[in-house]
């Protein structure tokens, strides 16, 4: 099918030179230049009732995600649909991509002479909504279908900008305008700017979400484990974040963040919404209502850099059913030993490279312990060179539901649901403006913390908790982002 695309674009150059901005292909793949768009092969018969489909890719991706290792394009072609694909900036925010996409949607509309249906994966759904709502492209689009779009951001983006993970994500190149904008605090601001805009209800939006994490040990499996504290998820985006209260949820299914965009997974579930005859009246009737999922205290996080030896100690409480240690590093050959409270050692860490958006290129060294002995566990690491790392420990325990955090305008508080808990929280704020770290480690040792008045930007809050119950010690970490606008208004979830 790729060769058929090449033939189509070559014909466009010969017959319609004014459409040369649509780009060309090299060695069966598009060049990936932002702003270039491509036309798929026209099926032998296209019913007049079928809208053309514009496919929009997500974070750190390109247009070929729809046919390289994916049968979405082929499925659309076999079903008789005309298709178009576009390359956006892979690491820029929704404002830059929205402005670019808006211009190109007009061009694609003029090429086909009719409105298109946009099918967008992941952040592509946010870029699309920005183009339609804020940059005026809505007259050229019939409807939008989003496949696991983080409409409310991803807590993995919060983690990437946290004080513990910044060492690693900085060297991996994961800190960019796109991941910065996907922090949940910033996305809360975007939602406030978008959801009450006069253009928001001009185009119906249909959503899909996933609940599978990928294969055991994969980067999506690790992402799913981290996000499990925030509810059902597909390894990168929670189900709640994939929803819009004024959108129509078509399906939440057993897909991970990659398989949800495969033609064999979802095309037949949304193809009835690609036609002109689709009834969209009442689409803004809030067919999906967000359910509030309380964040659980399931994680402990540490990170930094070292050379030589490094010891990280973790208190595991009595009654924990399991604990998973994941040492995430820029080195594949990290030498690790896990010691239980009795100094018994375990060095069987499984290694897997991360191919996700937020920690791409890192290496996961993971081991899970069932029915762990309560007490202090130690991860011993050794390296002959400087190593950046993030230790993420996940607990399956009743203690996960005993703690929570609360945001009240400009104050963050740690809450204990059990009066017998003795807590010693350590709160750290790192302040970012326009994606750049401006002030590091504003500290407070208390159960509440007022945001410092540093102006507009994202405040990444890390709360480390040392606690005990009946003399049994435990460790937990909360990570949350908050956005403050130019007028001082606070946005968060």
């Amino acid at each position: 099918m790729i060769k058929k695309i090449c033939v189509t674009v070559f014909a466009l150059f010969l017959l319609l030179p004014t459409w040369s901005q649509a780009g060309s292909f090299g060695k069966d793949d598009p060049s990936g230049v932002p702003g270039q768009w491509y036309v798929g092969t026209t099926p032998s018969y296209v019913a007049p009732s079928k809208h053309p489909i514009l496919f929009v890719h997500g974070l750190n991706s390109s247009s070929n995600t729809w046919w390289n290792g994916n049968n979405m394009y082929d499925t659309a072609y076999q079903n008789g649909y005309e298709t178009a694909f576009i390359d956006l900036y892979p690491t820029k925010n929704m404002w830059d991509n929205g402005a670019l996409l808006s211009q190109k949607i007009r061009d694609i509309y003029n090429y086909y002479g009719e409105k298109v249906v946009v099918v967008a994966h992941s952040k592509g759904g946010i870029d699309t909504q920005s183009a339609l709502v804020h940059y005026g492209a809505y007259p050229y689009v019939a409807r939008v279908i989003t496949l696991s779009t983080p409409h409310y951001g991803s807590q993995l983006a919060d983690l990437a900008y946290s004080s513990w993970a910044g060492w690693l994500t900085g060297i991996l190149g994961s800190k960019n305008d796109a991941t910065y904008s996907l922090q949940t605090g910033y996305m809360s601001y975007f939602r406030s700017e978008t959801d009450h805009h006069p253009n928001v209800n001009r185009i119906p939006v249909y959503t899909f979400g996933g609940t599978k994490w990928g294969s055991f040990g994969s980067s999506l499996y690790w992402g799913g484990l981290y996000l499990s504290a925030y509810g059902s998820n597909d390894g990168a985006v929670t189900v709640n974040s994939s929803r819009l209260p004024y959108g129509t949820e078509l399906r939440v299914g057993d897909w991970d963040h990659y398989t949800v965009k495969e033609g064999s997974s979802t095309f037949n579930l949304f193809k009835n919404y690609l036609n002109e005859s689709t009834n969209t009246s009442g689409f803004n009737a809030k067919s999906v209502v967000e359910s509030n999922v309380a964040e659980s205290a399931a994680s402990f996080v540490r990170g930094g850099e070292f050379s030589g030896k490094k010891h990280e100690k973790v208190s595991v409480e009595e009654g924990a059913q399991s604990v998973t240690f994941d040492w995430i590093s820029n080195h594949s050959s990290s030498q690790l030993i896990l010691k239980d409270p009795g100094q018994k050692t375990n060095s069987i860490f499984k290694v897997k490279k991360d191919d996700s958006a937020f920690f791409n290129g890192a290496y996961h060294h993971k081991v899970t312990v069932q029915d762990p002995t309560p007490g202090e566990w130690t991860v011993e690491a050794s390296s002959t060179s400087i190593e950046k790392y993030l230790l993420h420990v996940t607990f399956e325990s009743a203690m996960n539901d005993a703690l929570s955090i609360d945001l009240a305008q400009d104050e963050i508080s740690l809450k204990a649901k059990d009066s017998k808990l003795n807590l010693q929280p350590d709160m750290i704020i790192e302040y970012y403006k326009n994606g750049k770290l401006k002030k590091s480690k504003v500290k407070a040792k208390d159960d509440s913390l007022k945001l410092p008045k540093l102006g507009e930007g994202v405040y990444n809050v890390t709360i480390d908790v040392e606690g005990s119950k009946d003399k049994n010690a435990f460790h937990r970490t909360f990570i949350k982002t908050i956005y403050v606008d130019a007028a001082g208004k606070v946005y968060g979830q």
Side-chain angles (χ1 to χ4, degrees), residues 60 91 168-176 179 358 360:
N60 288 336
T91 59
L168 179 60
T169 53
I171 198 171
L172 293 173
S174 300
K175 289 184 176 181
N176 53 55
T179 54
F358 300 107
N360 187 276

Side-chain angles (χ1 to χ4, degrees), residues 132-341:
L132 271 55
V133 174
H134 298 288
Y135 295 98
Y138 63 85
Y140 315 107
V141 174
R143 58 193 68 94
V144 175
I145 297 166
T146 64
L147 306 176
S148 196
T149 288
H151 292 292
Y152 290 85
S154 175
Q155 289 81 5
L156 288 172
D158 297 351
L159 176 62
Y161 274 84
S162 70
S163 60
W164 290 123
W167 294 86
L168 179 60
T169 53
I171 198 171
L172 293 173
S174 300
K175 289 184 176 181
N176 53 55
D177 290 348
T179 54
Y180 179 81
S181 70
L182 287 177
Q183 292 177 90
T184 57
Y186 190 87
M187 282 303 301
S188 179
Y189 163 72
F190 177 75
R191 294 263 60 91
S192 73
E193 292 290 297
T194 303
D195 293 350
H196 304 291
H197 194 284
N199 292 338
V200 75
N201 284 328
R202 295 182 184 273
I203 304 298
V205 180
Y206 300 87
T207 68
F208 283 80
T211 59
K212 191 175 180 180
W213 298 356
S215 60
F216 181 80
S218 68
S219 52
L220 285 181
Y221 187 89
W222 167 76
L225 199 59
Y226 183 82
L227 291 176
S228 63
Y230 305 92
S232 298
N233 67 86
D234 67 357
V237 176
T238 64
V239 170
N240 270 351
S241 189
S242 74
R243 293 167 166 161
L244 283 171
Y246 48 82
T248 300
E249 185 174 78
L250 294 183
R251 189 70 62 89
V252 172
D254 189 25
W255 308 295
D256 65 36
H257 195 65
Y258 301 148
T259 60
V260 72
K261 63 180 170 67
E262 294 177 355
S264 54
S265 296
T266 52
F267 185 87
N268 285 336
L269 299 175
F270 66 70
K271 71 177 182 180
N272 289 337
Y273 296 85
L274 302 172
N275 304 324
E276 294 178 5
S277 59
T278 300
N279 181 12
T280 60
S281 61
F283 75 90
N284 58 347
K286 293 190 177 181
S287 54
V288 175
V289 178
E290 283 185 274
S291 58
N292 292 320
V293 176
E295 174 185 350
S296 66
S299 295
F300 174 73
V301 178
R302 283 292 185 270
E305 69 174 9
F306 77 99
S307 61
K309 298 284 187 179
K310 183 68 179 180
H311 295 73
E312 290 288 6
K313 298 183 181 299
V314 185
S315 292
V316 177
E317 66 271 13
E318 187 173 4
Q321 289 86 48
S322 71
V323 58
T324 297
F325 299 85
D326 191 359
W327 183 275
I328 310 166
S329 169
N330 62 321
H331 289 178
S332 61
S333 57
S334 298
Q335 301 298 312
L336 301 171
I337 295 176
L338 177 65
K339 291 186 176 181
D340 69 12

Side-chain angles (χ1 to χ4, degrees), residues 82-99:
E82 296 173 292
T83 53
F85 308 85
I86 189 166
D87 280 313
L88 299 179
Y89 299 108
T91 59
K92 288 198 174 184
N93 62 31
M94 71 286 286
W95 308 112
D96 292 328
N97 275 345

Side-chain angles (χ1 to χ4, degrees), residues 42-109:
T42 302
S44 56
Y45 175 73
V46 178
S49 63
K50 294 181 177 180
H51 283 293
I53 310 170
L54 170 60
F55 289 98
V56 180
H57 65 80
L59 177 66
N60 288 336
S61 188
S62 65
S63 56
N64 65 19
T65 191
W66 298 105
W67 61 80
N68 277 356
N70 184 358
N71 60 1
M72 180 63 85
Y73 162 57
D74 187 63
T75 303
Y77 174 81
Q78 296 297 338
N79 278 268
Y81 286 90
E82 296 173 292
T83 53
F85 308 85
I86 189 166
D87 280 313
L88 299 179
Y89 299 108
T91 59
K92 288 198 174 184
N93 62 31
M94 71 286 286
W95 308 112
D96 292 328
N97 275 345
L100 176 63
L101 181 58
S102 177
Q103 299 170 11
K104 302 306 174 181
I105 285 177
R106 289 177 176 87
D107 293 344
I108 296 168
Y109 168 84

